[in-house]
Amino acid sequence: MTSALPPALRGDLQLIADMIQPNTRVLDVGCGDGTLLAHLVRHKQVNGRGIEISTAGVNACVSAGLSVIQGNAETDLFDYPDAAFDYVVLSQTLQAVHQPKVILQQLLRIGRRAVVSLPNFAHWRLRWYLLVRGRMPKTKVLDHEWYDTPNIHLCSIQDFVILCRDLGIVIERSVCLDRKGTRYRIGRSMTVANLLGEQAVFLLRR
Amino acid sequence: MMTPRNGGGSPAVEWTLTLPGQRVHLGTQRPLTLDCGVALSDFPVAYQMYGRMNPSRSNVILVCHALTGDQFVAETHPITGKPGWWAALVGSGLPLDTDRYCILCINVLGGCMGSAGPSEINPDTGEPWGLGFPVITIADMVRAQAMVLDHLGIEQLFAVIGGSMGGMQVLEWASLYPHRVFAAVPIAATAQHSAQNIAFHEVGRQAIMADPDWCGGDYWRYDKNPHRGLAVARMAAHITYLSEHKLTEKFGRQLQERSAVTYGFDADFQVESYLRYQGISFVERFDANSYLYITRAMDYFDMAARHGGVLANAFVDTRVRFCVISFTSDWLYPTVESRRIVKALNAVAADVSFAEIASNNGHDAFLLEEPEFRRVLSGFLDAAAAHRGLPPVRGS
């Protein structure tokens, strides 16, 4: 394969890629057109697999030589054996599944680690939008109308951290991105991250 | 390479005298023990090759043919004069690129294009086997193919690819000889013949056996051929290869060279005329008893049953790279069957790709010009070839 310059990844995808060690087994759940997976295979030499719900996405991936299956995260994760992967990636999808808790547990059953990215519903702009306009917030990251959004389980960074604690999941790393794509570590000052982070990426283990 | 043999009224026996390609006699030193328990020794297997083997013989793709296919994948068929059944995909610059890969296709055991089957001569009697030929299975076909690889000195196939019954052989290859397969592409296939699949086959077999010219399977002895029964079998089967959408689009209720129905049983409708043609043209190239044997092998196919009822057990620790492909309008081996295979492969964390191709062509889509199918297949093969260390075609 010849590629002069590594193509620029979307901010949150680059964050995810940075959390993944080279030469590992990676499953990208909801891999879309395979942008992240192709990046990981090419630049981190991972043994990469993907699941994607859209036929167009799957066919693009397989045509590009990626090992991707057409499937649904909500039903197909159960097929995989325990600890089949070093990392299972779930990017901007947890808020759109019916059972986020079950899916999260599945990620950490089939993967030794999980990398999860999600939009933060407690971002100040969303709070402001709701407070001032009195309508369901819409932003660049969350750009659907309330009646046709696939995002049925939105949460805040703080909500997600609490869920992990309740499930006994260890958060090894957590980073949030503000509107300009600047990274912030989510440390003790959860309140600040929860206010300023537009999206967050977590590296999790059991 | 063809060895002349004596006798018999079955056309298949005469055809094989002049067929192009190669033929090898296997089981001369060690017989092949079939699933039914019979040991088959000194039996012929016919095959055809396109492209050249590289010095390490690591660029061979085995194409497994379907029920009524044969080894003439990419050349004008020696009997029908029609283009090879996969000429759209196999050739220079095509997804199965003969400039890069060596394409091997072997006539299945039980077939009638030069491999041992009911129309071939039983060496013990000097007469065609007829119904004396042992009942074979998909696994038997694959074991015989493995013997051809031994004969050709091919340690590992770069890929095994096949649609329909060919896909069943692909699955069996990956299960029986995982170390001899680098990549496997089962297309429009299933890991288990369903009740509906068996039912359609039984209709076909009954049509053949109900033809008085079948003569209890000994038609060659009376210089007869149950072509009416075989044609009906083909007509029934052919419907299962198409989709309702395609039939409607192609024929609708259009009449055949007439402006009104004739109030009789002539082929008033175009679809009738089409099916009759399919039936009639089939009998000139296919042996009725072969049809019985091969459909039986497909009906017996149930990979999970041999592995404690768990399909995944057939692929434990597999290192084969899989690409499973199905077509939306295929109701013979629908996508749900491919999904079952994918589920089993996921259960053993196999390296698997799975694509469902949108097509109105029904089961036959795998034989036709389907651009999306072609892209997926090419992409998968290119990536697999890179992993296998096969150099790209020069100048591309």
Side-chain angles (χ1 to χ4, degrees), chain A residues 5-62:
Chain A
L5 284 169
L9 278 181
R10 212 173 66 204
D12 59 319
L13 294 184
Q14 186 60 57
L15 256 184
I16 293 170
D18 291 346
M19 289 185 181
I20 288 170
Q21 296 294 318
N23 301 304
T24 50
R25 295 165 299 164
V26 178
L27 175 67
D28 187 356
V29 181
C31 62
D33 63 2
T35 304
L36 174 67
L37 204 54
H39 178 89
L40 292 172
V41 168
R42 191 171 299 169
H43 301 290
K44 296 232 168 168
Q45 291 76 46
V46 304
N47 179 349
R49 314 278 172 77
I51 303 180
E52 170 58 27
I53 200 161
S54 83
T55 309
V58 174
N59 295 359
C61 289
V62 180

Side-chain angles (χ1 to χ4, degrees), chain A residues 49 58-59 63 67-68 70 79, chain B residues 339 343 350-351 354 372 379:
Chain A
R49 314 278 172 77
V58 174
N59 295 359
S63 300
S67 298
V68 171
Q70 202 274 326
D79 298 339
Chain B
R339 229 176 255 290
K343 201 176 162 73
D351 190 323
F354 164 51
E372 189 76 4

Side-chain angles (χ1 to χ4, degrees), chain A residues 1 41 47-51 55-56 58-60 62-72 75-76 79-81 84-85, chain B residues 321-323 335 339 342-343 346-358 372 375-380 383 386-387:
Chain A
M1 287 177 212
V41 168
N47 179 349
R49 314 278 172 77
I51 303 180
T55 309
V58 174
N59 295 359
V62 180
S63 300
L66 298 168
S67 298
V68 171
I69 64 164
Q70 202 274 326
N72 184 341
T75 52
D76 295 350
D79 298 339
Y80 293 90
F85 298 96
Chain B
R321 303 167 69 86
F322 289 86
C323 182
T335 291
R339 229 176 255 290
V342 172
K343 201 176 162 73
N346 279 339
V348 294
D351 190 323
V352 53
S353 293
F354 164 51
E356 184 188 31
I357 309 294
E372 189 76 4
R375 266 194 295 278
V376 164
L377 187 59
S378 296
F380 173 78
H387 278 277

Side-chain angles (χ1 to χ4, degrees), chain B residues 114-132:
Chain B
S115 290
S119 63
E120 290 291 324
I121 301 297
N122 177 354
D124 292 342
T125 63
E127 290 189 323
W129 281 94
L131 293 195

Side-chain angles (χ1 to χ4, degrees), chain B residues 209-268:
Chain B
M209 295 190 284
D211 187 329
D213 286 348
W214 182 60
C215 305
D218 287 347
Y219 43 91
W220 46 272
R221 201 187 293 282
Y222 305 99
D223 207 20
K224 289 187 171 177
N225 195 340
H227 54 84
R228 281 164 301 180
L230 182 59
V232 172
R234 174 63 168 179
M235 287 166 77
H238 197 79
I239 301 167
T240 69
Y241 304 151
L242 306 171
S243 66
E244 194 200 0
H245 182 282
K246 193 74 195 171
L247 278 177
T248 306
E249 180 187 278
K250 209 167 173 178
F251 307 110
R253 292 183 52 81
Q254 291 175 79
L255 301 178
Q256 178 69 19
E257 292 165 359
R258 63 200 68 188
S259 52
V261 296
T262 60
Y263 296 98
F265 298 101
D266 199 13
D268 275 354

Side-chain angles (χ1 to χ4, degrees), chain B residues 143-158:
Chain B
R143 291 186 193 104
Q145 289 164 1
M147 292 167 86
V148 176
L149 292 204
D150 295 340
H151 164 75
L152 293 172
I154 300 163
E155 185 55 40
Q156 191 198 44
L157 293 162
F158 162 59

Side-chain angles (χ1 to χ4, degrees), chain B residues 75-255:
Chain B
E75 67 193 288
T76 304
H77 196 277
I79 291 161
T80 65
K82 288 181 182 163
W85 58 269
W86 236 11
L89 287 179
V90 179
S92 178
L94 295 174
L96 275 71
D97 193 339
T98 46
D99 298 332
R100 188 179 200 186
Y101 310 116
C102 173
I103 310 298
L104 167 67
C105 186
I106 303 169
N107 187 215
V108 295
L109 208 57
C112 51
M113 283 293 158
S115 290
S119 63
E120 290 291 324
I121 301 297
N122 177 354
D124 292 342
T125 63
E127 290 189 323
W129 281 94
L131 293 195
F133 192 73
V135 170
I136 38 122
T137 63
I138 301 290
D140 291 332
M141 295 174 183
V142 167
R143 291 186 193 104
Q145 289 164 1
M147 292 167 86
V148 176
L149 292 204
D150 295 340
H151 164 75
L152 293 172
I154 300 163
E155 185 55 40
Q156 191 198 44
L157 293 162
F158 162 59
V160 189
I161 302 178
S164 197
M165 185 183 84
M168 299 178 190
Q169 294 166 64
V170 170
L171 294 173
E172 203 63 91
W173 258 104
S175 175
L176 286 175
Y177 305 103
H179 56 288
R180 299 190 78 167
V181 177
F182 185 77
V185 188
I187 304 160
T190 178
Q192 180 194 61
H193 234 218
S194 70
Q196 181 176 265
N197 296 149
I198 297 168
F200 274 113
H201 275 175
E202 177 60 1
V203 170
R205 285 190 296 262
Q206 287 300 330
I208 291 168
M209 295 190 284
D211 187 329
D213 286 348
W214 182 60
C215 305
D218 287 347
Y219 43 91
W220 46 272
R221 201 187 293 282
Y222 305 99
D223 207 20
K224 289 187 171 177
N225 195 340
H227 54 84
R228 281 164 301 180
L230 182 59
V232 172
R234 174 63 168 179
M235 287 166 77
H238 197 79
I239 301 167
T240 69
Y241 304 151
L242 306 171
S243 66
E244 194 200 0
H245 182 282
K246 193 74 195 171
L247 278 177
T248 306
E249 180 187 278
K250 209 167 173 178
F251 307 110
R253 292 183 52 81
Q254 291 175 79
L255 301 178

